[in-house]
Amino acid sequence: MSADVILGAQWGDEGKGKIVDLLSEGYDVIVRYQGGANAGHTVIVGNEKYVMHLLPSGVLRKGVVNIIGHGVVLDMGSLVEEMEGLKKRGINITPASLKISENAAIVLPYHKIMDKAKESKKAGKKIGTTGRGIGPCYTDKYVRTGVRLRDIYNDEILKAKVAENLEEKNFLLKNLYGEKEVSAAAVIAEAKKYGKILKPYVCDTINEVNDLLKKGKKILFEGAQGALLDIDFGTYPYVTSSNPTIGGVMTGSGASHKYSKKVRGITKAYQTRVGNGPFPTEMDEVNGERTRQKGGEFGATTGRPRRCGWLDLVALKYVCDLNGLTDILLTKIDVLSIFDELKVCTHYMYKGKKSDRFIPDGEELYKVKPVYKIFKGWGTDLTAVRSMKQMPKEAKTYIKFIEKYTGVKVSMVSVGPERDQILKKPPRNTDAMIRLADSVMYDVKKSGKNRIQYIVSIGDE
Ligand code: GDP
Ligand code: IMO
Ligand code: MG
């Protein structure tokens, strides 16, 4: 039994959808634990492109159970639309393949209105949110006035909660933001309409997840957003309102920590960011545009152009340490084929000193200047590469440097959006294997019986 985690190691859009879909073949259950419909996880299967916002990226695999944990903020209308969209394409979601936490906080229409109104009122320092109501919904959750999915099925509670919330929201909408007031009856009617459709999927996912683990099922947790957008560990205030990092797995799903095995961070071979906030390694306009075009760097949820930059190893090392990453899955290395020379940030100049420490603050991080190490590009297309043997030596050097700097192995390298465009590297931590082989040999020698012959094959190079 095991509970492995996939989380974004940058500012989101690292390719989590592709990797989760790929790995979901080997898991019984996929769980989303935080975020909401601000996520856009792309999965490409042949000529078909799917973008998941709330549904876990395991929904395309038959037999996989998908769970939306209570840490997710649930936009019921968006979820129903996603499910109907998949149904039209022949993918049927059933209560056996999807379970939604009855404790998930519900995104209501006024959250989305507040999100957009708050942003447009801000003078200089807009966050650049997705407008999906994420911040306002989590706000209500934490001030303990939030509407939970279970409340939709209790008329009295629903009415009281919506009334309590609208008293405050309507005051702000009218007097502070100059927006129209929201009608309680309309909010309730819409919530009940979607609630009815979703009812068969609603359950106690906290006990469900632990029961599944106890039964020996393999669970993969699918993070949304990325560690640098984490409300506690990211570039606050230019962050989202949840914990995409490892702690969010436990608080957002209820799974016990004792089953956790692999914590895998997905990182692009370069860096992107949508929305505002500091970005020390942001490329100049020319290189940024080339990367955007080559990598198709446009938001999967909002369609906004993504800002592009060079790989920031100071930030990546911070994310590795913070999450105890067991391995790194490196995506989109094929995109870097356009460059003759690549820059990788190894240090920041901060307050006149060279430092290799990340600064988890959205204002201070503006003050750093990146220090780069330059790598030679490989100049060849990597999209048909399927093993490390076929990888050009410059690309191998680039990958090895990431491993050396972070101290974390790169166990998979993705060279394109499709399922088969992946290289799985064999275990690199050979020391443990050698120690094991040595101790077995010692035991064999000691017992005087030479009955075992070991061939230890390490690596593919
Ligand atoms: P997510 O939010 O982390 O799931 O990432 P997105 O789906 O928002 O953005 C990643 C984009 O890169 C999608 O369009 C993927 O199809 C695409 N993609 C994923 N892996 C690779 C890769 O290795 N190479 C290229 N060229 N594209 C990739
Ligand atoms: P996936 O799961 C990239 C960004 C927004 C904004 C900030 C706050 O696809 O990687 P929010 O709407 O959450 O209040 O916006 O966070 N953001 C993302 N950026 N990928 C995402 O999700 C994101 N979800 C939110 O652009 O800067
Ligand atoms: Mg995305």
Side-chain angles (χ1 to χ4, degrees):
M1 80 197 122
S2 67
D4 298 333
V5 178
I6 289 289
L7 57 85
Q10 297 171 313
W11 279 294
D13 302 328
E14 299 89 349
K16 298 176 292 294
K18 167 181 168 159
I19 300 291
V20 171
D21 162 70
L22 189 72
L23 296 183
S24 62
E25 204 178 10
Y27 287 86
D28 303 298
V29 186
I30 311 292
V31 181
R32 272 280 307 271
Y33 55 90
Q34 48 67 237
N38 49 351
H41 296 181
T42 314
V43 179
I44 308 275
V45 186
N47 293 327
E48 296 291 320
K49 175 177 167 175
Y50 304 91
V51 181
M52 317 298 174
H53 299 288
L54 279 158
L55 285 170
S57 302
V59 287
L60 302 179
R61 305 266 187 195
K62 281 211 173 79
V64 170
V65 176
N66 295 274
I67 296 181
I68 300 179
H70 65 275
V72 169
V73 284
L74 187 75
D75 181 334
M76 296 188 290
S78 170
L79 178 61
V80 167
E81 197 183 306
E82 231 180 300
M83 290 162 73
E84 282 172 357
L86 286 181
K87 195 172 175 188
K88 282 193 197 128
R89 299 169 75 177
I91 294 146
N92 226 354
I93 313 277
T94 67
S97 66
L98 176 68
K99 298 180 189 302
I100 311 169
S101 172
E102 59 197 356
N103 282 354
I106 299 299
V107 177
L108 290 165
Y110 51 79
H111 292 128
K112 288 185 261 188
I113 299 170
M114 294 283 286
D115 191 2
K116 289 175 195 149
K118 249 174 130 64
E119 277 280 281
S120 60
K121 190 163 169 68
K122 279 191 174 153
K125 297 194 171 169
K126 291 184 200 300
I127 292 166
T129 72
T130 58
R132 297 296 191 271
I134 307 299
C137 184
Y138 275 118
T139 302
D140 283 359
K141 171 173 173 168
Y142 288 105
V143 293
R144 293 154 293 176
T145 60
V147 179
R148 298 169 130 194
L149 185 50
R150 58 164 71 241
D151 301 331
I152 307 293
Y153 308 109
N154 183 323
D155 283 353
E156 214 177 296
I157 291 182
L158 181 62
K159 212 174 147 197
K161 282 197 171 184
V162 170
E164 183 191 5
N165 279 293
L166 278 181
E167 193 183 355
E168 183 196 43
K169 267 49 162 190
N170 275 338
F171 179 84
L172 291 173
L173 285 174
K174 189 174 158 204
N175 298 303
L176 185 65
Y177 299 122
E179 297 278 338
K180 271 199 279 183
E181 290 184 50
V182 172
S183 133
V187 169
I188 291 170
E190 191 186 288
K192 285 176 79 164
K193 179 181 90 179
Y194 290 127
K196 197 171 164 198
I197 300 171
L198 294 177
K199 183 90 170 79
Y201 305 87
V202 181
C203 63
D204 162 13
T205 56
I206 299 175
N207 282 301
E208 179 79 17
V209 164
N210 283 303
D211 286 349
L212 287 163
L213 284 165
K214 278 188 235 158
K215 278 188 209 150
K217 300 291 179 195
K218 284 190 78 183
I219 300 192
L220 182 64
F221 293 90
E222 175 180 3
Q225 291 78 54
L228 301 177
L229 285 172
D230 188 285
I231 184 87
D232 290 298
F233 302 108
T235 50
Y236 190 92
Y238 304 100
V239 289
T240 190
S241 299
S242 67
N243 291 116
T245 48
I246 187 68
V249 176
M250 278 101 209
T251 56
S253 74
S256 165
H257 69 91
K258 70 183 176 190
Y259 302 102
S260 103
K261 294 241 165 74
K262 290 182 189 142
V263 183
R264 315 177 102 173
I266 317 276
T267 179
K268 282 177 190 169
Y270 50 99
Q271 201 94 11
T272 61
R273 171 161 213 169
V274 207
N276 300 329
F279 188 171
T281 62
E282 189 161 13
M283 291 171 179
D284 60 31
E285 236 169 75
V286 174
N287 284 333
E289 187 56 26
R290 287 178 71 199
T291 309
R292 191 172 305 118
Q293 292 306 330
K294 177 74 178 168
E297 295 296 358
F298 296 90
T301 297
T302 58
R304 289 178 291 176
R306 295 174 182 153
R307 298 156 67 194
C308 298
W310 303 106
L311 184 64
D312 184 342
L313 285 182
V314 176
L316 185 59
K317 173 88 170 68
Y318 165 75
V319 170
C320 287
D321 294 347
L322 177 68
N323 292 284
L325 294 189
T326 53
D327 41 355
I328 290 171
L329 312 189
L330 189 70
T331 59
K332 304 193 90 162
I333 193 164
D334 53 298
V335 175
L336 292 181
S337 297
I338 54 173
F339 292 111
D340 298 333
E341 232 178 34
L342 307 167
K343 292 198 216 174
V344 170
C345 173
T346 58
H347 294 85
Y348 294 155
M349 284 307 293
Y350 177 57
K351 295 189 174 165
K353 287 198 183 123
K354 196 172 163 186
S355 158
D356 61 359
R357 287 211 156 196
F358 185 71
I359 302 165
D361 182 83
E363 302 308 337
E364 279 307 292
L365 195 61
Y366 271 116
K367 299 179 187 162
V368 308
K369 290 263 171 297
V371 177
Y372 290 113
K373 183 173 164 63
I374 309 288
F375 286 83
K376 197 167 174 289
W378 41 89
T380 51
D381 182 25
L382 298 185
T383 54
V385 167
R386 293 292 177 274
S387 79
M388 280 309 280
K389 274 189 197 131
Q390 298 168 351
M391 216 22 124
K393 73 173 187 320
E394 294 85 357
K396 278 187 200 162
T397 306
Y398 191 81
I399 296 167
K400 278 190 185 140
F401 188 74
I402 297 171
E403 293 182 317
K404 195 168 162 228
Y405 189 101
T406 58
V408 178
K409 66 179 181 286
V410 172
S411 62
M412 281 188 205
V413 182
S414 173
V415 292
E418 307 218 6
R419 275 180 177 167
D420 71 334
Q421 290 180 302
I422 195 94
L423 289 70
K424 293 183 190 165
K425 285 181 62 199
R428 203 179 67 92
N429 188 0
T430 51
D431 291 353
M433 288 168 68
I434 290 166
R435 271 202 304 280
L436 179 70
D438 279 353
S439 78
V440 173
M441 284 314 208
Y442 177 72
D443 285 348
V444 170
K445 254 197 200 155
K446 222 172 51 174
S447 70
K449 291 177 194 153
N450 194 11
R451 50 197 164 92
I452 309 172
Q453 286 188 334
Y454 284 91
I455 300 167
V456 184
S457 161
I458 298 162
D460 72 345
E461 303 191 53

